[in-house]
Amino acid sequence: MKTCRSFLSPYKDENGNYKFYGRLNQGVVTLNLVDIALSSEGDYEKFWNLMEQRTELCHKALLCRHKRLEGTLSDVAPLLWQYGAFARLEKGEKIDKLLHNGYSSISLGYAGLYECVKYMTGKSHIDSQEGHDFGIKVMQFMNDKCDQWNKEHYIGFSIYGSPIENTTYKFAKCLQKRFGIIKGITDRNYITNSYHTFVKEPINAFDKLAKESEFQALSLGGAISYVETDGLVNNVDAILEMNKFIYDHIMYAEENTKSDYCQICGYDGEIKIIDEGGELIWECPNCHNRNKDKMNVARRTCGYIGTNYWGKGRTQEIKERYVHMTDIAEDL
């Protein structure tokens, strides 16, 4: 089983009834779309050839995961396999029947659609028609690959917007090592999650959700969109309008609000991230406390709300997020 954004395709049991609860995911292998774009040097023919090669590499890696699970006995985790979390198999029974025919999914992850499109077209996939069309082609290519593999193996391949919590930094550092610093592409310690709008992009919440919804609809194995907000305690009407809009326009989205507290001075506003010579430091703007043990910070990372701080890449990404909805009611 994977993260909160994982999505299972419809499945009917032996009685023809739809079943959603208790199913599972066999794992994910993530495609670095930025690396493919940079490796192509902007040549479209080379780009699509590399997409063929890299998706096939992911295909083989996913089959390794699948084959590693085959033959596993239900006894290894009775709570999961025998007592109903995933299934109610007999003791000593193999889990194999749950790995085939779409009962469980297996995910082709992807990351960095924004940087990929930006490098290839010079434009964003969100704010330009050319970028949008190329981004949709990339998403459709991955969907077509999953359809092809499903016909070959009858397993349950689908594409998945990987959260890349720590991998965002790992991917960014690998890209810098391979390709150097490229303005707007590799000049930061993170790459953009899945199909998301670039975090610095000045766009209002409703436009962001509306535009991302088209890409989310092609991320059939799981995805999540977010809106970055202030506390919104003085703008409750905005939350209600936002939730209505989410319901009507997109499958899965959340608001990223802040919930911080300084244990030294009692400040309960937003704890800031200060850049001192390239080192990112959490600091209370009221008393300038920098002791992490004396403050509480909560941020949504890529789906989950975390309170234990983050690596360099994700911390920079959090610092640079554009606020799509403020605590001022007039914005609505």
Side-chain angles (χ1 to χ4, degrees):
M1 199 163 95
K2 281 205 318 294
T3 72
C4 64
R5 73 187 62 196
S6 187
F7 187 78
L8 293 164
S9 57
Y11 171 84
K12 289 184 177 181
D13 62 20
E14 60 275 9
N15 299 316
N17 298 317
Y18 282 105
K19 179 177 174 59
F20 293 97
Y21 295 105
R23 291 167 59 203
L24 63 141
N25 182 274
Q26 298 178 39
V28 58
V29 174
T30 296
L31 194 63
N32 187 338
L33 295 174
V34 193
D35 189 286
I36 296 173
L38 295 177
S39 297
S40 76
E41 300 176 315
D43 183 289
Y44 283 95
E45 183 177 356
K46 189 175 180 181
F47 174 86
W48 293 114
N49 287 335
L50 285 167
M51 283 289 288
E52 289 280 354
Q53 295 172 24
R54 301 287 178 82
T55 51
E56 182 55 30
L57 185 63
C58 290
H59 177 208
K60 292 178 179 177
L62 288 167
L63 287 178
C64 285
R65 286 180 174 271
H66 171 77
K67 294 182 185 301
R68 180 66 181 84
L69 289 170
E70 285 184 323
T72 300
L73 300 181
S74 65
D75 306 65
V76 302
L79 208 61
L80 297 181
W81 307 111
Q82 296 174 6
Y83 301 133
F86 286 162
R88 295 190 181 275
L89 303 179
E90 298 296 325
K91 290 183 178 180
E93 186 176 357
K94 294 179 180 179
I95 69 170
D96 292 25
K97 66 182 182 182
L98 306 178
L99 306 177
H100 297 271
N101 300 316
Y103 183 89
S104 57
S105 62
I106 191 164
S107 302
L108 171 64
Y110 66 98
L113 182 66
Y114 164 76
E115 288 87 356
C116 169
V117 173
K118 183 73 172 179
Y119 181 79
M120 295 301 295
T121 68
K123 300 172 183 176
S124 164
H125 64 302
I126 295 296
D127 65 1
S128 75
Q129 191 63 47
E130 182 182 354
H132 163 274
D133 292 348
F134 183 71
I136 291 295
K137 285 182 181 179
V138 172
M139 297 289 289
Q140 190 59 57
F141 181 95
M142 293 186 288
N143 273 284
D144 291 344
K145 281 297 174 185
C146 288
D147 289 342
Q148 175 189 327
W149 302 338
N150 286 331
K151 291 175 183 177
E152 292 177 13
H153 306 291
Y154 301 99
I155 295 177
F157 290 93
S158 56
I159 75 167
Y160 168 79
S162 297
I164 58 169
E165 277 92 351
N166 289 322
T167 309
T168 192
Y169 181 69
K170 179 180 179 181
F171 275 3
K173 291 289 107 177
C174 288
L175 289 168
Q176 290 172 359
K177 185 177 180 180
R178 284 188 51 148
F179 304 103
I181 303 298
I182 301 172
K183 186 177 180 180
I185 309 294
T186 65
D187 55 353
R188 49 189 174 269
N189 289 323
Y190 63 90
I191 65 171
T192 305
N193 276 63
S194 59
Y195 59 80
H196 287 175
T197 308
F198 180 46
V199 295
K200 289 184 176 182
E201 181 125 2
I203 185 172
N204 73 66
F206 299 96
D207 285 345
K208 182 179 191 293
L209 290 170
K211 291 181 178 182
E212 287 187 353
S213 65
E214 188 174 355
F215 293 90
Q216 188 176 105
L218 290 171
S219 196
L220 301 178
I224 185 173
S225 285
Y226 74 85
V227 171
E228 193 71 16
T229 74
D230 286 334
L232 298 183
V233 293
N234 299 314
N235 202 0
V236 175
D237 288 343
I239 300 174
L240 298 176
E241 289 301 316
M242 172 64 59
N243 288 338
K244 291 176 186 176
F245 192 86
I246 289 171
Y247 183 86
D248 290 334
H249 292 86
I250 194 166
M251 180 178 67
Y252 191 12
E254 295 172 330
E255 295 104 1
N256 289 359
T257 188
K258 284 87 175 173
S259 180
D260 302 340
Y261 180 73
C262 176
Q263 298 174 21
I264 293 193
C265 71
Y267 176 76
D268 62 358
E270 180 182 349
I271 302 292
K272 300 292 186 179
I273 302 172
I274 307 299
D275 187 341
E276 284 195 353
E279 182 181 2
L280 299 179
I281 302 167
W282 293 89
E283 180 182 274
C284 172
N286 186 51
C287 71
H288 306 293
N289 167 37
R290 295 184 174 186
N291 185 350
K292 291 181 181 179
D293 294 331
K294 296 294 182 179
M295 63 175 70
N296 303 93
V297 175
R299 294 289 184 279
R300 191 178 305 283
T301 308
C302 312
Y304 298 115
I305 295 178
T307 58
N308 58 347
Y309 303 101
W310 302 265
K312 291 182 180 179
R314 188 56 65 197
T315 301
Q316 183 184 1
E317 186 267 333
I318 291 171
K319 181 182 187 299
E320 295 182 350
R321 289 176 180 176
Y322 178 80
V323 177
H324 307 110
M325 184 175 285
T326 73
D327 204 21
I328 302 173
E330 286 78 6
D331 282 2
L332 186 60

